Amino acid sequence: MTSAALAAPTVHTGKTAEVAHFIDGRAVSSAKPSFENRNPATGEVVSLVHEADAALVDDAVQAARRALKGPWGKMSDQERSAILRKVADGITRRFDEFVRAEVLDTGKPVSLASHLDIPRGAANFNVFADQILTASTETFRMATPDGAGALNYAIRVPRGVIAVVCPWNLPLLLMTWKVAPALACGNTVVVKPSEETPTTAALLGQIMNEAGIPPGVYNVVQGLGPNSTGEFLTRHPEVDGITFTGETRTGEAIMAAASKGVRPVSLELGGKNAAMVFADCDLDKAIEGTMRSVFANCGQVCLGTERVYVERPIFDSFVERLKSAAQGLKMGDPFDKTTNLGPLISAEHRNKVMSYYERAKAEGARIVLGGGIPKLAAPQSGGYFIEPTIWTGLPETSTVVREEIFGPCCHITPFDSEDEVADRVNDSPYGLATAIWTNNLTRAHRLSARIDVGIVWVNSWFLRDLRTPFGGSKQSGVGREGGVHSMEFYTELRNVCVKL
Ligand code: NAD
Ligand code: 6OD
């Protein structure tokens, strides 16, 4: 294993760029890059990515351990908070570079990357720079038999080295959603970005250095999951906690890895989210919100809607209006500002989504729209585009109504009563999010308490104050992150009792 410093992970230099690891404050290479990173919008190779073996993962974990004992471990909350603000400023300063890297890695429209992914990457650091300054713990003055009493209070201490394992759908946003609170609380991190989207995590290493984050506090190891970097990291005995976002089955593997040594986990997993559209809703707003929740990021959003339940009196008009709006989506070059539907992340993922499209046909769905692969001009003809698709007519037991597809598609079912729709929505192994479209706010409150999910939106979607708890119930996850809830995961509470 060589550990030579590489040129900073470059994006689009003419010759194929290499994406490296970032360990102890510098870019580090493996002996050679081991896999290609393709632009999903064209299928062309964007970069060659290095893969960390067990020894390199150990280097990163040891760097993170050393950094806990260095200046980072001695800094006040105020000092860390100020540095995190510089990280946010650094992302904003190099905004275009981050946007370009994210668009090349994911194929997502530039409008989405520049309005959501990259601004949220910066915002996550500012939010937790604020949060750490208001974190508090309880203190009790207690009575003792001798009358002198005792002072019993709690302090928060960093958990230690945190492994951060990330998916590909919102790479910078979801990674910083974990890295920012972990660092705010005084931990050090080793990040394992998705093999599909390695670049922005590497680029963030440069920002960390510029902002004054000491070497070893933020480390990145590139590679695959099982029998590779992800598994080496999550099984590493000197990792003190694991935070993961990704598929439920991977979450199970990570939970099993964490059981060795009894390490805590925070898991943000899959979903099969529903929308409930009542006849008394503002239909224009329900169509606009459902369009976003089904098709944003080409349906590759864990919070996205794949099951739509519409009250029978407005069922036909809702289906027609959603179809007509979806026909207006524009696929093509993601760097074109008018493109609003990008490709899926990979050929493999498109095969998976296509298998559900075929399954829907076989199960007897009525195909309202789409169902196939579009014909686009070069170079997008080489990309992993798929048609936006709407189905009706399937029973609740069918595969496409039960399983997470993670593509630009939904099934629409009519319903006749609040009880019926609540039971249907709850009949899922997942419990991440739901959207309720109604002007009857009493009903909205009633249903919000009844639907077994982590997040309920009423007449909105994806809207949220970042101080509130985020996470899922059932197979959609374990734990909550956001605001003070992140503090709960990224710190240990230590009880101190002082006899007076
Ligand atoms: P994934 O589970 O396949 O991969 C996520 C990460 O885990 C990758 O970095 C991968 O390399 C790594 N990994 C895979 N197997 C591993 C193992 N055995 N040990 C350690 N690491 C391993 O998920 P994905 O395909 O990247 O993302 C899509 C999924 O993520 C969807 O199911 C989606 O619903 C879910 N997701 C959930 C949320 C949420 O907040 N609940 C957010 C985004 C995505
Ligand atoms: O907004 C967030 O903080 C968040 N975790 C979003 C998750 C989106 C899933 O794809």
Side-chain angles (χ1 to χ4, degrees):
M1 176 63 47
T2 60
S3 179
L6 270 190
T10 45
V11 188
H12 237 48
T13 53
K15 80 177 174 69
T16 310
E18 293 188 14
V19 185
H21 319 291
F22 184 81
I23 299 175
D24 221 2
R26 64 196 195 109
V28 170
S29 67
S30 301
K32 60 181 170 49
S34 74
F35 58 95
E36 293 172 336
N37 172 30
R38 289 178 183 272
N39 175 353
T42 61
E44 290 158 359
V45 174
V46 179
S47 56
L48 301 173
V49 188
H50 289 247
E51 181 178 6
D53 62 8
L56 204 53
V57 169
D58 184 56
D59 287 351
V61 173
Q62 298 310 334
R65 281 230 86 76
R66 281 193 302 278
L68 281 173
K69 299 206 171 78
W72 189 245
K74 300 180 179 67
M75 261 181 214
S76 65
D77 291 347
Q78 285 74 9
E79 286 169 306
R80 280 200 309 279
S81 172
I83 293 186
L84 292 188
R85 284 192 193 291
K86 288 189 189 160
V87 176
D89 291 347
I91 294 174
T92 306
R93 203 171 48 248
R94 292 172 67 178
F95 190 84
D96 292 346
E97 219 177 318
F98 274 97
V99 167
R100 186 167 182 78
E102 211 72 304
V103 172
L104 284 171
D105 276 5
T106 61
K108 68 178 66 197
V110 70
S111 54
L112 188 64
S114 49
H115 284 105
L116 175 68
D117 296 73
I118 309 309
R120 256 298 297 279
N124 286 339
F125 284 99
N126 281 327
V127 163
F128 289 104
D130 283 346
Q131 184 70 45
I132 193 63
L133 297 182
T134 56
S136 62
T137 54
E138 71 263 52
T139 304
F140 299 100
R141 175 102 192 250
M142 61 180 286
T144 55
D146 67 2
L151 195 60
N152 198 174
Y153 62 93
I155 52 172
R156 287 189 183 280
V157 293
R159 215 171 255 297
V161 176
I162 306 289
V164 182
V165 183
C166 308
W168 43 258
N169 60 329
L170 303 164
L172 185 76
L173 186 161
L174 291 176
M175 189 258 289
T176 54
W177 175 239
K178 293 168 179 302
V179 167
L183 297 192
C185 292
N187 301 282
T188 59
V189 297
V190 180
V191 175
K192 211 299 272 170
S194 168
E195 50 276 33
E196 308 283 0
T197 53
T199 314
T200 46
L203 205 46
L204 189 62
Q206 298 176 8
I207 304 289
M208 293 286 181
N209 282 350
E210 289 161 15
I213 296 268
V217 171
Y218 172 83
N219 306 277
V220 180
V221 284
Q222 307 284 1
L224 311 176
N227 303 314
S228 173
T229 318
E231 195 171 326
F232 302 146
L233 178 61
T234 51
R235 290 195 177 279
H236 197 293
E238 290 187 63
V239 161
D240 301 302
I242 305 170
T243 178
F244 169 73
T245 301
E247 281 192 22
T248 296
R249 298 290 81 86
T250 313
E252 288 175 347
I254 286 180
M255 217 170 175
S259 71
K260 184 93 181 138
V262 201
R263 278 96 45 81
V265 287
S266 172
L267 302 176
E268 296 187 349
L269 307 177
K272 185 72 185 177
N273 310 306
M276 290 169 264
V277 186
F278 286 87
D280 63 13
C281 74
D282 179 326
L283 195 52
D284 290 343
K285 290 187 179 146
I287 293 289
E288 188 273 331
T290 308
M291 275 298 292
R292 284 194 297 118
S293 74
V294 175
F295 299 112
N297 209 36
C298 200
Q300 304 165 116
V301 181
C302 62
L303 304 161
T305 302
E306 290 189 357
R307 300 183 288 155
V308 184
Y309 296 92
V310 180
E311 207 170 4
R312 202 173 297 274
I314 60 164
F315 180 78
D316 290 340
S317 72
F318 183 92
V319 172
E320 270 317 299
R321 287 192 58 180
L322 195 72
K323 173 184 172 184
S324 146
Q327 282 170 326
L329 289 168
K330 187 175 166 226
M331 283 183 257
D333 177 5
F335 285 103
D336 176 341
K337 288 192 176 123
T338 63
T339 297
N340 49 18
L341 190 66
L344 293 171
I345 189 70
S346 63
E348 187 191 358
H349 188 51
R350 182 166 70 174
N351 289 342
K352 177 181 162 188
V353 176
M354 264 317 290
S355 76
Y356 281 106
Y357 282 19
E358 297 303 333
R359 193 71 186 257
K361 260 190 245 166
E363 287 179 330
R366 179 185 157 234
I367 300 169
V368 176
L369 183 72
I373 293 178
K375 290 195 178 4
L376 298 178
Q380 278 74 40
S381 51
Y384 314 128
F385 290 86
I386 197 162
E387 287 175 348
T389 294
I390 300 172
W391 306 287
T392 59
L394 287 174
E396 293 294 283
T397 49
S398 65
T399 323
V400 297
V401 180
R402 294 204 69 78
E403 294 183 7
E404 182 187 54
I405 301 172
F406 226 52
C409 55
C410 67
H411 180 268
I412 316 182
T413 307
F415 69 86
D416 295 298
S417 75
E418 192 179 305
D419 279 346
E420 177 200 347
V421 73
D423 288 346
R424 285 176 183 243
V425 169
N426 276 338
D427 181 18
S428 168
Y430 295 107
L432 188 53
T434 204
I436 305 171
W437 298 93
T438 180
N439 273 328
N440 179 342
L441 283 186
T442 303
R443 183 198 338 256
H445 288 299
R446 198 165 50 223
L447 275 173
S448 300
R450 182 168 172 183
I451 302 300
D452 191 2
V453 291
I455 302 148
V456 177
W457 278 291
V458 177
N459 298 327
S460 62
W461 181 75
F462 213 88
L463 181 67
R464 174 172 123 255
D465 188 307
L466 299 180
R467 292 170 295 187
T468 58
F470 178 91
S473 58
K474 299 194 266 186
Q475 292 186 28
S476 290
V478 174
R480 295 290 182 272
E481 296 194 16
V484 70
H485 311 282
S486 296
M487 305 286 117
E488 295 298 337
F489 181 72
Y490 295 107
T491 59
E492 286 277 15
L493 277 171
R494 181 171 300 153
N495 188 333
V496 181
C497 188
V498 183
K499 174 73 176 65
L500 301 175

